Amino acid sequence: MSRRWPQSPRGGPLRGDDRAQIVLVAAAVVAVAFLSMTLAYAQLGYDADRTAAGAVDVASLAEIDRSLTASFRTAVRDAETDAGRDVSWRDRGSLVERIRTDVGTDIGRLERSHADESRAVTVTFDDAAATRWAAEHCPSGRGRDFGPCRAIDGVVVQERAEETTVVAAAVSVRIVSPAESTTATLSLRAV
């Protein structure tokens, strides 16, 4: 079996100079192909995709905070009114559960309204943040005979004269849309 070497355009076997020229020509062909593909890719973009992302407004955390604070205060007031305003310290768990349920209904409504605006808003009670809030901001001081604050499933309660007083709550808010991605922790005060 005999082996044939590539022939130079001049008729003999390829020399080093000829091989270098072929490599340069091949590189130029590849570069032109990549340039053509890049231009074609840029022209095939769907313009509505780019404008839709900019058309979604950025959610206002201040507005979400106001809405959740109002919902939390209403839930606290309703729960205390239904319980006769005097909820014993032993029954604090049921009071917290009632408040979480009432606020949860409003959270669901808030999440659905933002979904209609092409954004995902997720709100969850944050027990770790509530515990931190209780340690840093729990009402106390001279002339007050209050017990310690306790965080129960994201709601901060305090024992005052053997009764349960709801003080605050902490929630985590996550917002995702084509225009933004935000995570925040909000403290909702009862008063």
Side-chain angles (χ1 to χ4, degrees):
M1 175 188 247
S2 81
R3 186 168 227 171
R4 280 187 80 159
W5 294 98
Q7 297 291 315
S8 157
R10 289 177 233 142
L14 284 177
R15 294 183 324 226
D17 294 344
D18 294 334
R19 286 188 189 129
Q21 288 177 355
I22 289 177
V23 169
L24 273 169
V25 170
V29 169
V30 169
V32 169
F34 277 135
L35 180 61
S36 300
M37 289 185 340
T38 303
L39 288 173
Y41 180 77
Q43 290 175 353
L44 291 176
Y46 180 53
D47 192 46
D49 287 341
R50 290 184 297 181
T51 57
V56 177
D57 292 332
V58 176
S60 168
L61 274 175
E63 182 180 317
I64 292 171
D65 186 19
R66 279 193 298 277
S67 175
L68 291 174
T69 298
S71 174
F72 177 67
R73 289 179 177 171
T74 301
V76 169
R77 187 177 55 247
D78 291 350
E80 288 176 347
T81 301
D82 291 349
R85 202 103 169 120
D86 297 331
V87 178
S88 75
W89 184 243
R90 285 173 298 188
D91 296 331
R92 63 189 176 269
S94 62
L95 178 66
V96 167
E97 189 56 40
R98 162 78 192 274
I99 291 168
R100 283 176 50 91
T101 301
D102 289 354
V103 173
T105 302
D106 288 336
I107 288 172
R109 193 174 314 120
L110 178 75
E111 291 174 343
R112 283 189 302 279
S113 72
H114 282 277
D116 293 342
E117 297 173 6
S118 298
R119 99 175 39 94
V121 173
T122 307
V123 180
T124 56
F125 282 91
D126 189 337
D127 196 48
T131 301
R132 281 191 307 277
W133 190 95
E136 295 170 6
H137 302 359
C138 190
S140 63
R142 206 177 190 121
R144 294 182 179 180
D145 191 20
F146 299 157
C149 285
R150 301 263 191 266
I152 303 172
D153 297 329
V155 178
V156 179
V157 293
Q158 187 175 35
E159 183 267 322
R160 297 180 182 175
E162 300 292 325
E163 295 174 6
T164 304
T165 301
V166 179
V167 180
V171 293
S172 291
V173 179
R174 173 118 172 95
I175 304 168
V176 178
S177 77
E180 67 180 317
S181 178
T182 305
T183 302
T185 301
L186 304 176
S187 298
L188 315 174
R189 297 188 121 166
V191 284

